[in-house]
Each structure stands twice: as C-alpha cells, then as structure tokens.
Amino acid sequence: MFRQAFFYSLLLLSLLFRCTGDESLPEVTDSEEAPMGKREREALFSAIQGFVGDSWNGSSLYPDPCGWTPIQGVSCDMYNDLWYVTDLSLGLIYENSLPCTSSLEIRRELFELNHLRSLSFFNCFLSPMVIAKEDWINFASNLESLEFRSNPGLIGKLPETIGNLTKLKSLVVLENGFNGELPASICNLKSLNRMVFAANSFAGVIPNCFNGLKELLILDLSRNSFSGTLPSSFGDLVSLLKLDLSNNLLEGNLPQEIGLLKNLTLLDLRNNRFSGGLSKNIEKIQSLTELVLSNNPMSEEDMMGIKWESMGNLVVLDVSKMGLRGEIPIGLTNLKRLRYFGLNNNNLTGFVPSEKLEALPCLGALYINGNNFTGELRFSRKFYEKMGRRFKASQNPNLCQSFETIISESHKHLLPLGVKPCT
C-alpha cells in the first residue's frame, strides 16, 4: 500500500513539473523519435518558402524534415536531444532540389537558424537584388561554409558584415553580379582555408590586409576588374597553395613578397597589365607546378635572368604574349615534368633546341609560333606523331623544316603548318 502511494506521489510531481517547468525549453513537434523545436521547424519552413514560393507547404510535405521525410539540401544534427538544421543548400544543386522562384525573398527566419554550419545559394538570384548587411551576425557562432554560386541577380556590394563570420573556413562567391570594392573586413576571417571571389564585377584595389590569413590555402580573385598593384601582405599567406588573379586590370611590378609563398603550386596572373619584367623571386617558389603569366606587357625582357632548372616541379609553363626577347634558356630544357609549354607570340630569337625539347619525357604541347626563331627544326617524325596539332611553329619568318626528318611522302601531313621547307 505504501509503495503504491509513493508511486502516485512521484507521478503527480512529474505532471506538476511538466506544467510548471522551465518555460525557456523549446516546444517540440509530435515526432518522438526525432523531436525538433517548433520554432526551429517554423523558421526552416518559412526560410525555404521565401526562396521557392508561398505555394510550397513544408509542414504538409515534410512533417519530419530531419527524419523520415527529409528535404533535399537540408541536413540536421542533434543538440540537447533536439534536431537543429546545420546545412542548408538552396537552388537546383541536385536534380530533385527545390528550385528558387523568380520573386524570392530572404526572410528574417533564415537567420534564426543559428546552428547552421554550411549555407549555399546556387542559381537562385536571377532578378536584381542587393543583399542587406544586417542579420549576418546571427551566424557568427557556427557557420563554417558560405557559398553564392551562379547568381547573376546578386548585385551591389558584398555585405561588409560577412567579415563577422569568424568561424568561416570556406567563402565562395563565384559567378554572381557583385560589384564595387572588396570590403577590408574579409581579412577578419582568419580561419579561412578557401577564399573565392571569381567571376563577379568587383573593381578597385585589392585591400592590403591579408597579414593574418595564415591558414588560407586557396585564393581566387580571377575574372573581375581589380586594378592597382598587388598588396604586399600577400607575402604573409604562408600556407597558400593556389593563387589565381587572372583576367583583371592589375598592373605594376610583381612584388618581391611573391617569393615568400614557399608552398604555392599554382600562380595564374594571365591577362593583366603587369610590367617590369619577370621577377627573379619567381624562381624561389620551387613548389610551383603551374605558372601562367601570359598576356602581360613585361616589356622587352629576356628569360635568361631566371634559374629555370631550379623549378623542376613545373608541369604547366605559359609565358606567351609577353613581349619577351632573347633565346630559349637551356635551363628550360631541364624541366622533366613539363607537359605544357607556351612561348608563342613573343620576340624570341635564336635557334630552337629541338633535340633537348623532344627529350622532355612528359611534354604534350609546345607552342613557339609568332616569334623570330631562325635555323632548322630538327624534331623527329615520332615527335610530330606524338604532338599532332599541339605543336605550332608558324609565323617565324626565318625558321624552316628539314625534310630529312620525314622519310616518306605519306608522312608530310605531320609537318607543322606555316613552316617553310629548308632549301
């Protein structure tokens, strides 16, 4: 009898606690196996509805968005025995993803999902829209990845408040319509491994504030309208593996700090306005596998001042359309890993070291056209068979091809186009 009375007393206390307990606890949904706070659930549905349209009824279609009725592009994790949204991808990333409507809106409920670790927008913003700078601070505690990809309607300046997201490891702003200058606040993101601002309409000078980004591995500012000189603080990017600044309006000499990037594997500066000649500091980056400097007016500079043999890891070397003069340095013929070699459209002179270039075991593309080379080409028939149209030597008025290389009439089609026979 005593035990039964004690049991009912405990049950009554339990019921009283449920009625008068901590009101700060989130109200949960009906799912017992995977409970989700009502506020989190409503914020998720409202945020998605703002992007896909009011006709989308999330509560009916996805009653358990983190459980047995998952939404494509939504991932969750447990905190204090409740589901919270941790990854949200909006737009047609996958075939069954929810497409964004043309009249989308960014609702404040999106910023209530403050457990998000990853947030991405793909091909969503097609009509012109400027992103407000408010509310991003709500993501500061957890967000590690933020991506805007292929959103031509995203215009205006990048919100400077994104610089408050100090937990970010990846920031990708690719193929959008953002313009204006990059805010210096991006240099507050000291945990970044990847920073991509490629293919937008950014302009102005690149901020000289990269000193603290010691963990950055990838920096891509290509296909914009950045101008001015390279910031000296690039030299502090000691972990950097890839630096792509191609297709901008950058000018001036290559700074000596570029030689401090000892781990760099890719340096792409093509299609800018750099001048002052090839920097000897480039030879200090012996980790480079791809060096692309083409279409920069380096003036009448020769290639002899660089110890090319010290750059033995090079796989791609493109120094075309730079106004280079002089002969091909013998050190270049020691690059045993070289696959692509572009020397075309310069003012190079002298003889072509055919035998040494043919001896490069990995070479698969060689362009020497548009120069002032002289003498005979002495490549073998086997070389021409291997290269096909990936070898060009035309527009060298004083260069000729020896027919001794080609044994029979049936092999004449292998000869490089635009090179006269030797007489």
Side-chain angles (χ1 to χ4, degrees):
M1 188 72 178
F2 171 76
R3 289 184 179 179
Q4 187 175 16
F6 180 71
F7 171 77
Y8 283 120
S9 297
L10 287 178
L11 180 61
L12 179 60
L13 286 172
S14 175
L15 292 173
L16 284 172
F17 177 78
R18 291 196 178 187
C19 294
T20 61
D22 187 357
E23 293 181 357
S24 66
L25 292 174
E27 184 179 350
V28 300
T29 59
D30 295 334
S31 173
E32 294 182 0
E33 293 183 359
M36 188 178 200
K38 182 179 179 182
R39 187 172 179 179
E40 179 83 357
R41 187 165 174 264
E42 290 178 347
L44 172 63
F45 289 156
S46 179
I48 293 177
Q49 193 175 58
F51 281 90
V52 304
D54 290 334
S55 61
W56 185 80
N57 190 342
S59 58
S60 296
L61 296 170
Y62 305 97
D64 188 7
C66 294
W68 59 275
T69 57
I71 304 174
Q72 182 65 269
V74 176
S75 297
C76 308
D77 209 343
M78 277 274 192
Y79 295 90
N80 298 322
D81 298 324
L82 291 174
W83 283 123
Y84 287 92
V85 181
T86 54
D87 301 87
L88 180 58
S89 299
L90 296 161
L92 281 174
I93 300 176
Y94 309 103
E95 289 185 5
N96 55 344
S97 296
L98 297 171
C100 294
T101 180
S102 58
S103 57
L104 63 82
E105 60 175 322
I106 303 177
R107 296 182 178 177
R108 294 187 70 92
E109 287 83 358
L110 173 66
F111 300 96
E112 293 180 15
L113 303 173
N114 52 22
H115 287 77
L116 278 177
R117 293 195 297 263
S118 175
L119 176 61
S120 65
F121 307 90
F122 177 77
N123 199 28
C124 269
F125 301 89
L126 303 180
S127 301
M129 176 178 287
V130 176
I131 293 183
K133 63 181 181 180
E134 294 81 12
D135 298 320
W136 289 97
I137 189 66
N138 292 355
F139 292 143
S141 298
N142 293 297
L143 197 65
E144 296 180 354
S145 176
L146 177 61
E147 297 193 359
F148 298 94
R149 291 179 182 263
S150 303
N151 297 286
L154 276 184
I155 59 174
K157 294 185 176 181
L158 187 77
E160 62 184 20
T161 48
I162 286 179
N164 294 322
L165 306 179
T166 55
K167 294 291 183 67
L168 278 182
K169 295 181 180 179
S170 176
L171 176 59
V172 176
V173 183
L174 176 65
E175 296 177 345
N176 304 288
F178 288 113
N179 52 47
E181 296 185 354
L182 275 183
S185 63
I186 62 170
C187 294
N188 296 334
L189 307 176
K190 301 187 186 301
S191 297
L192 275 183
N193 301 135
R194 177 169 60 166
M195 180 187 288
V196 176
F197 290 111
N200 288 275
S201 297
F202 291 116
V205 177
I206 300 171
N208 190 16
C209 61
F210 289 82
N211 311 68
L213 301 182
K214 306 292 186 183
E215 313 221 351
L216 196 63
L217 302 176
I218 297 173
L219 177 57
D220 187 351
L221 306 180
S222 64
R223 292 176 285 164
N224 284 287
S225 296
F226 290 115
S227 57
T229 58
L230 293 187
S232 59
S233 58
F234 273 6
D236 291 309
L237 301 175
V238 293
S239 299
L240 202 64
L241 300 176
K242 296 185 178 182
L243 176 59
D244 190 347
L245 304 173
S246 61
N247 297 286
N248 279 289
L249 303 172
L250 297 166
E251 58 190 10
N253 296 346
L254 298 183
Q256 64 179 12
E257 289 83 2
I258 206 85
L260 300 175
L261 305 180
K262 302 297 186 181
N263 295 306
L264 204 64
T265 60
L266 178 145
L267 177 60
D268 192 345
L269 304 178
R270 81 183 94 174
N271 299 329
N272 277 286
R273 299 173 179 176
F274 291 113
S275 57
L278 289 171
S279 171
K280 282 183 64 67
N281 293 290
I282 288 178
E283 71 185 41
K284 297 177 182 178
I285 317 175
Q286 298 182 8
S287 55
L288 275 177
T289 60
E290 297 180 57
L291 176 60
V292 184
L293 304 174
S294 57
N295 202 21
N296 281 286
M298 288 292 184
S299 69
E300 297 294 314
E301 177 77 12
D302 64 36
M303 304 174 68
M304 294 297 184
I306 294 180
K307 297 179 181 178
W308 294 101
E309 59 271 19
S310 68
M311 304 181 70
N313 288 311
L314 277 177
V315 174
V316 173
L317 176 60
D318 189 351
V319 289
S320 60
K321 300 179 182 179
M322 294 178 63
L324 299 174
R325 60 179 175 82
E327 300 183 358
I328 298 177
I330 293 300
L332 286 170
T333 64
N334 294 321
L335 302 178
K336 302 301 183 183
R337 298 184 180 182
L338 200 62
R339 294 180 180 273
Y340 180 99
F341 193 8
L343 289 168
N344 52 291
N345 299 101
N346 283 294
N347 295 311
L348 298 171
T349 56
F351 295 98
V352 177
S354 304
E355 292 85 357
K356 292 183 179 295
L357 289 172
E358 183 171 349
L360 293 176
C362 300
L363 192 64
L366 174 62
Y367 299 100
I368 60 173
N369 50 298
N371 283 286
N372 292 306
F373 290 119
T374 56
E376 295 185 12
L377 289 178
R378 304 295 297 180
F379 295 108
S380 69
R381 186 183 76 187
K382 184 178 180 181
F383 174 83
Y384 290 132
E385 288 175 342
K386 167 187 166 184
M387 302 295 280
R389 295 308 173 198
R390 296 186 303 278
F391 172 72
K392 291 184 179 180
S394 60
Q395 297 177 302
N396 284 281
N398 299 311
L399 189 65
C400 66
Q401 169 64 54
S402 172
F403 274 100
E404 295 176 8
T405 307
I406 308 301
I407 298 175
S408 65
E409 194 75 21
S410 62
H411 292 108
K412 282 188 177 181
H413 68 281
L414 298 174
L415 290 173
L417 297 175
V419 180
K420 65 185 179 182
C422 297
T423 56

